Amino acid sequence: MTRWDKKCAMGTLNVPKEEVMWKKAVQLQRKIAPEFIAAIEERYDILRSIQHSEPVGRRALAAILEKGERVVRAQVEFLKNAGLVDFSQMGMTITLEGQLLLKDLSEYIKALHGLTTLEDELSEKLGLKQVIIIPGDSDSDTAVRRELGRAAANVLAQYLNKNDMIVAVSGGTIMANVAEAIHFTQPSVTVVPARGGLGEKVENQANTIAAAMATKLGGKYRMIHVPEGISEEMLGVMVANNSNILTVADMIKHADVLIHGIGQAQEMAVRRGFDDEFVSKLINSGAVGEALGHYCTVEGKNIYITSSVGLHLDDLADIGVVVAVAGGRRKAEAIVAVTNAGGQDILITDESAAKAIQSII
């Protein structure tokens, strides 16, 4: 029995026959009417971009999509006549019907690109309960980065199903996208940073993101004002003399849901201010991925752990649901490294990273 089975006691679900037929229909459309599919993909991209930027003008939308204004004007007129987009003096917005259609289109695009099958493959090979793949490349498309955040917010909504739950969240730009995408409330929730602060922009620190997420949820938050990377001796003194740190640290280790990012080892080491000699030693030791202060090889071996208050990878067995969010082809090795290190339940990534991961494993 897998770790997830022990924690959730969930059985395997059979794929409905209707879903199988639907996926076959998508593949037939790809073969017999590729021009039809190209139009659908273009309109999907336009709807998704309007949703993320609404209200937005046609000129601004053309710039976001990097398309000519005439092409965008023709497509949005079609979408308006179909009842999917509204026009106003403020700009274009998605109608309720458009929002519902966009959800269905997202699944269609995933099936079209073979991502539903790839999700199952990666889930099995990486030993995860679930893999969610967003079409596109988050390295080159900000809309895809926002979709990663939206997908993580939707997963969070599924698991905040009782009162007085604790959510732990790490820092980083993708976690800021998750907080921004939250569209529901859960006033009884408490959000905490997964680890102490990281010396980067304030808006991307775990404390800031925890506060933003709690505000969106209508809940509470607690902070930890302890930087990462201080000596173990100094850390021990700070924790021993601060009851608030002890309380929050205990809350973190008993979180019901953890949402965290995954970074490239070299990039994260530089961001943490390590000197060039140490960074070189780290990389030469085989470290390619980083999560929660752990630097891992692609096989999942821990090379180095930064000292900080909060979660470590070996704490994750006691967390209810662990959700990792990372995208972009350049992070493929890092994602494999962190999932091989263990403790992950759900991976949310993008098409570019997923296909690169497939070639690695």
Side-chain angles (χ1 to χ4, degrees), residues 275-338:
D275 60 45
D276 292 344
E277 182 180 353
F278 182 83
V279 173
S280 296
K281 182 178 179 181
L282 193 67
I283 302 309
N284 290 336
S285 297
V288 295
E290 185 277 340
L292 302 174
H294 289 242
Y295 293 80
C296 312
T297 67
V298 72
E299 296 82 15
K301 178 183 177 182
N302 282 311
I303 298 298
Y304 179 78
I305 305 173
T306 57
S307 58
S308 177
V309 176
L311 287 171
H312 294 82
L313 290 181
D314 54 6
D315 296 321
L316 300 189
D318 296 324
I319 302 298
V321 180
V322 180
V323 184
V325 189
R329 175 177 293 275
R330 63 191 180 88
K331 283 193 177 181
E333 271 196 325
I335 294 169
V336 174
V338 171

Side-chain angles (χ1 to χ4, degrees), residues 88-165:
S88 71
Q89 290 184 344
M90 297 292 292
M92 293 174 286
T93 56
I94 299 288
T95 65
L96 177 59
E97 184 179 355
Q99 293 173 11
L100 295 173
L101 180 66
L102 198 51
K103 289 181 180 179
D104 291 337
L105 269 178
S106 178
E107 293 303 313
Y108 173 91
I109 297 296
K110 285 175 67 170
L112 182 66
H113 290 215
L115 300 185
T116 48
T117 302
L118 183 55
E119 286 174 339
D120 294 338
E121 179 185 340
L122 296 188
S123 177
E124 179 180 355
K125 290 185 176 180
L126 295 174
L128 302 174
K129 166 60 183 177
Q130 185 181 16
V131 173
I132 298 171
I133 302 173
I134 303 301
D137 182 358
S138 58
D139 280 342
S140 59
D141 190 343
T142 57
V144 177
R145 287 199 291 274
R146 290 176 177 172
E147 283 295 320
L148 288 171
R150 186 184 296 273
N154 289 338
V155 169
L156 179 62
Q158 294 174 27
Y159 287 98
L160 290 185
N161 51 19
K162 60 183 180 181
N163 292 328
D164 301 321
M165 296 185 75

Side-chain angles (χ1 to χ4, degrees), residues 160-180:
L160 290 185
N161 51 19
K162 60 183 180 181
N163 292 328
D164 301 321
M165 296 185 75
I166 298 172
V167 175
V169 61
S170 70
T173 54
I174 195 67
M175 292 298 105
N177 287 333
V178 176
E180 181 185 357

Side-chain angles (χ1 to χ4, degrees), residues 49 77 133 187 214 219 243 272 332 348:
S49 295
E77 284 293 337
I133 302 173
S243 60
R272 286 195 168 96
I348 300 173

